[in-house]
Amino acid sequence: MSLHVEILIAKHFKKSVFKNKAVFIITLFIGLLLLYAAFSGWENYTNQNETSEKYQHESREDWLKNPDKNPHRMAHYGNFAFRKSTPLSVFEFGMEPFFGNAIFLEAHKQNTANFSEAGFSNSMLRFGEVSIAMVLQILLPLLIFFLGFNAIATERENGTLKLLLSQGISWKQLLLGKTLGIAAVILLLFIPTIIILVVLWLVLQNFSISADETIKMGLFILFHFIYLMFFCFIAVLISAASKTSKNALISLIGIWLLFTIILPRTTQAIGAYLYEAPSKIQFQSDIEKDILKQGDSHNPNDPHYKAIKDSLLLVYKVDSVQKLPFNYSGFIMTEGEKISANIYNKHLETLLKVYEQQNSFSKAVSFFNPYIAMKNLSMGLSNTDYDSYIDFQKQAETYRYDMAQKMNALQIKYISNKKPGPNDKPLTIDKEHWAEVDEFQYQPKGIVAVLKSEMISIISIILWISFLFVLIRIAAKNLKAI
């Protein structure tokens, strides 16, 4: 199908747009804002990752430099897990400023992530940082509406609309032509942004990219382009349906406020109200209560652990734990760690179900709001969403549990049951064993996991675009020149 007429309409619209100096100034301002966002994102990324690498390395060195020591003391000495940012987080900050990026890992205790950027920032952070994704998702749609509110409404007001239609131009050609005209203006910002984005992305990875990251980048660009085209169509359709350009502008500003400000805030509030989560203090208190019900591994008279001791004495046919062929204390600590970790994981899964219900409500609203769908998908691809934060916590907990049980296993194997006298050397093992615990390495979610968790957002965007094409067909048949 030839698009000759549509292209002519688009070229004419593009030329007429830049006759307005205000459009030129606003476009230039957003362009400068995109450059600032790129620089800001790059600086945040490099600073955070350099800091994480530095302290992860120092934590590892401190762990290895420990002298000969009892393994249980090493388990309590602990270690740190740091979360590094992914390259796409340069462009989509998401929830990352509010995430903790470090967790202290120790035996018998599950700590939460700390040292979030928000914790060291002033109240201005709650207004949101300027990122490329924020400009693409919020400011460019506003610019599109500013460009498109008078695309057809002004033609109707001036009486030129009837003239255009009388010359054989169809409504479908006019709608598509005006949409392409707005898109052509927006591409003047979008294409340079993507070029900068890709160059930065390559540099940050030293031009060594994986297939997984390449797919994420491709989808990030593709869906943002689709998202912007959606708003181009909306602007033209509203302008075509409005009697005056003033009415079109008011309607479009109302839609922008509803999509980007009102619905996202309202959705979060309703989700938290419908599915109330326990406070952090309540969560930790419930875990401690359940652990105490199960037994206290540090209390020699605890019924649960006394039963274990009696059964061990019976099996090995000895009358005291000192005569067991392995370290009894290490065995008890292994059991205690297993119990406390299981209880923590059960409570955590219950809590995560509540948060999942809250997030599922927000994702369901994406069928009514393309901005929420695009925001969720953008954060997922950049690994700056809530699921990525939880994934980091789970990886850190797995590492913590393995570290604690490794120390308990060393205690069982190498530490004697006989307590040293007041003048004897403390019971220790060689410091070379500390290297048997690998350094923590955070692994971001892969593309398959991201697509699985954000499938609702993808379906929502596709449905919105499909709905618009249907709407254009209906509008082309029913719109009137007057």
Side-chain angles (χ1 to χ4, degrees):
M1 183 181 69
S2 175
L3 293 175
H4 179 68
V5 174
E6 288 86 341
I7 292 172
L8 285 177
I9 294 172
K11 286 181 178 179
H12 179 267
F13 180 84
K14 183 181 174 183
K15 287 180 181 179
S16 64
V17 159
F18 283 106
K19 290 179 181 178
N20 186 340
K21 291 184 179 179
V23 172
F24 181 81
I25 293 171
I26 293 171
T27 305
L28 180 63
F29 171 75
I30 293 180
L32 293 173
L33 198 61
L34 282 166
L35 288 175
Y36 169 76
F39 172 76
S40 176
W42 172 78
E43 188 176 43
N44 287 341
Y45 173 87
T46 52
N47 287 343
Q48 179 169 323
N49 279 4
E50 284 175 2
T51 302
S52 295
E53 286 180 6
K54 175 186 176 183
Y55 288 110
Q56 186 75 73
H57 180 68
E58 287 185 5
S59 175
R60 180 65 177 176
E61 283 190 337
D62 288 343
W63 174 268
L64 295 176
K65 286 179 181 178
N66 271 275
D68 296 350
K69 191 180 291 187
N70 188 296
H72 190 64
R73 289 187 61 195
M74 277 300 291
H76 280 287
Y77 179 83
N79 211 332
F80 275 94
F82 287 88
R83 177 176 58 86
K84 291 180 63 177
S85 298
T86 59
L88 272 176
S89 66
V90 172
F91 319 110
E92 170 61 90
F93 299 159
M95 298 176 67
E96 194 157 270
F98 304 94
F99 289 161
N101 55 25
I103 302 178
F104 179 59
L105 311 172
E106 57 180 321
H108 313 308
K109 189 176 181 181
Q110 292 82 9
N111 297 309
T112 55
N114 292 305
F115 308 113
S116 68
E117 186 180 341
F120 297 97
S121 301
N122 57 33
S123 59
M124 286 300 292
L125 185 63
R126 69 183 61 192
F127 291 96
E129 293 181 292
V130 179
S131 67
I132 287 179
M134 187 273 282
V135 176
L136 293 179
Q137 294 163 17
I138 296 179
L139 295 186
L140 277 191
L142 185 60
L143 176 60
I144 288 170
F145 285 172
F146 181 71
L147 295 174
F149 79 93
N150 62 355
I152 295 178
T154 298
E155 304 274 12
R156 178 180 281 113
E157 287 178 308
N158 295 339
T160 55
L161 181 57
K162 290 174 64 177
L163 183 62
L164 283 171
L165 296 174
S166 66
Q167 290 177 343
I169 296 175
S170 68
W171 268 109
K172 185 178 178 181
Q173 290 174 322
L174 185 60
L175 292 172
L176 289 177
K178 295 289 186 178
T179 300
L180 290 175
I182 299 172
V185 177
I186 294 302
L187 285 176
L188 294 176
L189 289 170
F190 185 73
I191 291 176
T193 300
I194 296 306
I195 292 173
I196 293 171
L197 187 152
V198 172
V199 171
L200 274 177
W201 177 72
L202 290 170
V203 169
L204 290 171
Q205 300 176 91
N206 296 318
F207 293 88
S208 176
I209 56 174
S210 64
D212 193 84
E213 286 297 319
T214 303
I215 294 172
K216 287 180 181 178
M217 167 60 82
L219 291 176
F220 186 90
I221 296 171
L222 173 63
F223 277 99
H224 274 91
F225 174 75
I226 293 173
Y227 174 78
L228 293 175
M229 287 302 298
F230 165 83
F231 281 96
C232 291
F233 279 117
I234 284 288
V236 173
L237 284 171
I238 295 297
S239 181
S242 301
K243 295 294 183 182
T244 65
S245 55
K246 180 181 178 182
N247 290 342
L249 181 60
I250 293 172
S251 298
L252 289 171
I253 290 177
I255 291 172
W256 181 82
L257 287 172
L258 183 68
F259 280 171
T260 62
I261 307 296
I262 299 172
L263 271 180
R265 302 294 188 273
T266 306
T267 299
Q268 292 172 358
I270 294 175
Y273 175 78
L274 293 177
Y275 307 104
E276 187 176 358
S279 65
K280 182 179 179 180
I281 295 175
Q282 183 64 45
F283 175 72
Q284 292 175 335
S285 176
D286 291 341
I287 292 174
E288 290 175 5
K289 287 178 182 177
D290 284 353
I291 291 175
L292 290 175
K293 287 178 184 177
Q294 187 68 40
D296 183 1
S297 60
H298 289 82
N299 181 7
N301 297 318
D302 183 90
H304 176 77
Y305 291 97
K306 187 175 184 303
I308 293 176
K309 182 180 74 172
D310 292 341
S311 64
L312 288 173
L313 296 178
L314 183 63
V315 169
Y316 287 94
K317 299 178 181 180
V318 292
D319 56 5
S320 69
V321 294
Q322 282 75 24
K323 296 179 182 179
L324 289 171
F326 55 84
N327 184 268
Y328 170 73
S329 179
F331 182 87
I332 290 299
M333 291 301 108
T334 300
E335 176 69 12
E337 191 66 57
K338 187 186 300 182
I339 290 172
S340 62
N342 285 336
I343 290 173
Y344 171 80
N345 288 330
K346 286 179 182 178
H347 280 270
L348 180 61
E349 288 302 320
T350 302
L351 180 64
L352 292 182
K353 285 180 181 177
V354 176
Y355 290 143
E356 186 178 342
Q357 288 174 319
Q358 293 180 356
N359 291 334
S360 65
F361 180 80
S362 174
K363 288 182 178 180
V365 174
S366 67
F367 288 109
F368 303 95
N369 186 354
Y371 167 71
I372 292 179
M374 188 65 251
K375 184 66 177 176
N376 288 337
L377 180 58
S378 177
M379 290 193 298
L381 291 170
S382 306
N383 290 107
T384 58
D385 60 337
Y386 172 76
D387 288 346
S388 296
Y389 172 65
I390 294 301
D391 184 55
F392 166 61
Q393 282 196 311
K394 288 183 175 180
Q395 288 185 39
E397 170 56 20
T398 299
Y399 178 88
R400 184 205 69 80
Y401 180 77
D402 291 342
M403 176 193 72
Q405 294 297 54
K406 179 66 178 178
M407 293 298 103
N408 288 331
L410 291 172
Q411 182 174 347
I412 291 171
K413 185 175 181 180
Y414 294 109
I415 299 298
S416 171
N417 279 315
K418 295 180 181 179
K419 294 182 179 181
N423 298 321
D424 295 336
K425 181 183 177 182
L427 298 175
T428 62
I429 63 172
D430 193 280
K431 63 182 180 180
E432 298 298 325
H433 288 288
W434 311 150
E436 295 177 18
V437 177
D438 295 329
E439 185 175 6
F440 176 82
Q441 295 290 339
Y442 170 59
Q443 297 296 327
K445 289 191 305 176
I447 185 62
V448 175
V450 171
L451 294 178
K452 184 178 178 181
S453 64
E454 297 301 334
M455 188 54 65
I456 291 178
S457 299
I458 295 172
I459 293 173
S460 172
I461 293 172
I462 293 172
L463 287 177
W464 272 102
I465 292 297
S466 302
F467 170 71
L468 275 183
F469 278 113
V470 173
L471 202 59
I472 288 172
R473 279 180 167 272
I474 296 172
K477 293 179 180 179
N478 297 285
L479 284 171
K480 304 297 180 184
I482 300 175

